[in-house]
Each structure stands twice: as structure tokens, then as C-alpha cells.
Amino acid sequence: MKQYNVLVVGGAGYIGSHMVKFLLDGGSGVVTLDDLSKGHRDLVCGGKFYEGSMDDQALLDKIFSENMINAVMHFAAYSLVGESVIDPLKYYKNNLYGTLELIRGMIRNGVKNFIFSSTAAVYGEPVETPITEEHPPRPTNPYGATKIAVERMLRDCDTAYGFKYVSLRYFNAAGADESGKIGERHEPESHLIPLILKAALGERENISIFGTDYPTPDGTCIRDYIHVNDLARAHSLALEALFAGQPSAVYNLGNSKGYSVREVIDVAGKITGLPIPVVESERRPGDPAVLIAGSDKIKQDLGWKPQREDLETMISTAWEWHKQGKY
Ligand code: UFG
């Protein structure tokens, strides 16, 4: 048996598919479970694949009995903040109830190592920057609320059942695998970098800047972008830590460096060499002005070090993917 045989739930999505590739490249066994409601089968570049829902207990029993799984990574959440405000029950059902059922299936099958995709959205409007893990969690939307609720559930499951987990609070995932084989493909797309690249390709008329009157140097929102493969590496280190007997933990994942919306557009313009028409629009409700991660804890505890922390690398790898038109 390989040292790690990982069930990647949501492995056909953007971050999940990069995780699958990262694990396979590192020699781990990989099984993907995805209901394909958001994910894409062709983004799963290897391992075994099961189509279905993470709350399907019979399917979970089948997967665990057919494969020697010893850890689960969970990427199968809905993640659109705006949609979560309009339809919160959709989010509570999938993100909270779905995760509860997944954990129930794991515990019944004796699998107790879990890596959870959490989010900076658990913090809400920051009261201090950079945001450390000690910052009070005060989510301002149902999406963030479902994630912090899961974290609470994980803590209780650790106490009650010895269920070990690492929860990773991502800031803004960006970029694509250097192979050009996988990348970001959301339908509909709402994230800044892919939308900018679509505008560069002429597939959109322009990119809207949501708000130019924020209290930031150029008036646009600042975010902390992190390359998707640096995220994947952090998951892998978290897994190693759990297997080495380290206790459950919660970590931020960002580069502790912020870029404004205008800076992102400027860098994308240089990398693509194409005009990117810009329209200045109203603020998008619920967007904090600045979100920057304090990521010292994961560096100290797990030795995580970003390898692609410059925005140019994130945008150029995304561009290599988007240029191919496979999204
Ligand atoms: N933006 C624009 N125009 C666009 C799209 C985005 O100006 O067309 C701006 C947003 O206002 C924001 C920045 O670009 O300031 C980044 O927006 P994204 O939608 O790419 O990402 P968010 O920061 O809103 O969201 C990300 C994740 C969420 C997560 C959140 C937590 O996608 O799942 O970070 O910080 F909840």
C-alpha cells in the first residue's frame, strides 16, 4: 500500500484537480469523488474516479471498502459569496450537512485524517491586518458561516472521536499548473483573474472594477493571491503532519502580500500583451477593502514556503491555461 491513499472529494474542481495532480506526481494513491455539479471530469488527470455525492452513505461505504483510503481531503464546497446570501440553505445543505455526512461515513469506516478547505471569509470584515488565525471569526455571509460551522464541528469530532484534521483558510487562490493541462474553469466565472484574461482574449467586452473609492492607495480592493500549487503543497504538508502525529490545527494560507485590482489588471496587461478594456463600476456588496493573510503559523509549524509568490507567475500560468480555450 502506498503511504498515502487519499480520497479527494471535489477533485474535479479548480483546487481539487490541482491537488489530485500534486498527489499523483508525489507518488500517492488518489481516489476522486465528485458529483460534477461544478467540477469537470476531464480536469481529473489520474487515479480512480467515482461520480456521486459526499452525503451518499452507501457510496462512501463502497469507496472505503474498495480502496485502502487513509485520509480525506475535502474541496467539494459551494463558494460563491453572493449566491450564498441569496440561497443560504443551498450552502448549509452542501457545505455543512454534506460535510457532516462525509465525516460520518469516514468515522464509520475508520478513516480519521481529514484536510478541510476553509476560507478567509470566516473572518468577515477584518479588524486588523494582516489577519492571523487568532482574529475573531465573524463571517459576514452564509458561505463563511458554513465554513466556520464545519471548523467547530471538526473540533468537537476531534474531542469525541479522535478525528484528526487540518483546516486551511485560503485567501485568493490563483494561477494554474505549469503543465497547462489543468486550470480554473468556473461556470459562471466570477473571479478577478480569469475574468481579466477573458477580457484580454476578447471573450468579454471589458473587466469591471468593483469600486474605486476604497481606502487603499489606488482606491481599489486589495487581496492576497496564492498560487494553487502552493495551496496543494500546503495540503500535502498538512497530511504529513497528521501522519506524524501532530495535533489538529487551523492555518491561514496566503502570501502576506496584497495586490490591488488595478495592479492585477496592469500585470495581466503586461503578461498578455493585449489591451484589457476596463470599466469602473459600483462596489460589490460585502467586499472588504483589504484582505491580507498572516501565514507565519503554517510556515513555523509545517515548514510551508510559497514557491510561486509573485503575481507575475500566478497570472502567467493562468494565461497559459486560458489561452488554450479549454475552460
Ligand atoms: N473584482 C472586480 N471585478 C470583477 C471581479 C472581482 O473588481 O469582475 C474584485 C473584487 O471586488 C475583489 C477582487 O476583485 O476585490 C477579488 O475578487 P474575487 O471574486 O476574485 O475573489 P474574492 O476576494 O471576492 O473571493 C475569494 C474567494 C471566495 C472567498 C474569499 C475570501 O473566491 O470564495 O476570497 O476572502 F470567500
Side-chain angles (χ1 to χ4, degrees):
M1 178 178 167
K2 304 211 183 204
Q3 188 189 4
Y4 303 124
N5 273 308
V6 184
L7 174 62
V8 181
V9 185
Y14 169 43
I15 302 172
S17 61
H18 284 78
M19 191 71 236
V20 168
K21 182 166 186 299
F22 191 95
L23 287 166
L24 289 169
D25 288 351
S28 293
V30 179
V31 174
T32 295
L33 167 63
D34 199 300
D35 68 3
L36 299 182
S37 63
K38 299 274 177 190
H40 306 274
R41 181 68 182 86
D42 63 302
L43 292 182
V44 185
C45 67
K48 227 162 143 181
F49 183 83
Y50 292 83
E51 183 175 343
S53 171
M54 63 182 158
D55 66 12
D56 182 338
Q57 295 302 316
L59 178 58
L60 289 174
D61 286 346
K62 180 175 154 67
I63 293 171
F64 287 120
S65 68
E66 288 178 355
N67 304 278
M68 301 283 281
I69 302 293
N70 52 17
V72 174
M73 295 186 180
H74 172 23
F75 300 87
Y78 296 148
S79 62
L80 297 174
V81 169
E83 184 187 56
S84 81
V85 176
I86 294 164
D87 194 358
L89 291 184
K90 176 175 175 181
Y91 278 67
Y92 281 95
K93 180 167 190 291
N94 185 68
N95 294 7
L96 183 55
Y97 169 77
T99 306
L100 181 156
E101 288 296 296
L102 172 62
I103 292 170
R104 211 160 64 80
M106 286 177 65
I107 290 172
R108 190 177 53 255
N109 285 278
V111 181
K112 293 187 175 180
N113 294 304
F114 190 62
I115 315 288
F116 178 60
S117 303
S118 189
T119 171
V122 300
Y123 297 112
E125 187 69 44
V127 292
E128 56 188 22
T129 297
I131 302 170
T132 69
E133 292 82 356
E134 276 66 52
H135 186 289
R138 291 192 195 125
T140 49
N141 53 64
Y143 167 62
T146 62
K147 292 284 183 172
I148 201 70
V150 169
E151 286 194 9
R152 181 62 204 257
M153 180 165 74
L154 290 172
R155 221 164 67 199
D156 293 339
C157 288
D158 187 351
T159 307
Y161 317 120
F163 186 84
K164 296 295 164 205
Y165 68 92
V166 174
S167 180
L168 299 171
R169 295 175 175 168
Y170 313 159
F171 282 64
N172 288 61
D177 188 65
E178 285 78 2
S179 68
K181 287 184 185 153
I182 51 176
E184 193 162 6
R185 192 197 290 161
H186 294 115
E187 285 153 17
E189 187 52 77
S190 67
H191 295 97
L192 181 65
I193 293 174
L195 289 176
I196 293 172
L197 298 179
K198 285 182 185 213
L201 286 165
E203 289 170 16
R204 299 171 55 87
E205 278 182 22
N206 52 52
I207 179 74
S208 289
I209 298 183
F210 295 150
T212 54
D213 58 351
Y214 283 97
T216 59
D218 68 15
T220 67
C221 285
I222 292 177
R223 293 288 179 274
D224 183 342
Y225 296 89
I226 173 167
H227 194 281
V228 62
N229 279 342
D230 282 336
L231 281 180
R233 175 175 303 281
H235 286 71
S236 168
L237 291 170
L239 193 62
E240 282 172 28
L242 287 184
F243 277 82
Q246 287 192 33
S248 298
V250 175
Y251 296 113
N252 282 344
L253 265 181
N255 280 312
S256 309
K257 212 157 54 179
Y259 294 97
S260 73
V261 174
R262 279 196 207 281
E263 285 175 314
V264 176
I265 296 171
D266 286 350
V267 171
K270 285 190 192 110
I271 285 167
T272 60
L274 294 167
I276 300 171
V278 167
V279 170
E280 295 185 0
S281 319
E282 293 300 301
R283 289 182 177 196
R284 188 172 65 177
D287 270 342
V290 180
L291 286 176
I292 297 177
S295 284
D296 288 351
K297 191 176 165 207
I298 190 163
K299 290 179 181 161
Q300 278 158 15
D301 286 8
L302 304 188
W304 177 74
K305 219 168 143 273
Q307 296 181 343
R308 303 160 183 87
E309 57 198 307
D310 55 306
L311 190 57
E312 283 76 10
T313 305
M314 289 184 238
I315 296 181
S316 58
T317 53
W319 178 233
E320 288 306 314
W321 164 253
H322 273 82
K323 265 192 323 204
Q324 302 172 48
K326 288 194 293 195
Y327 50 87

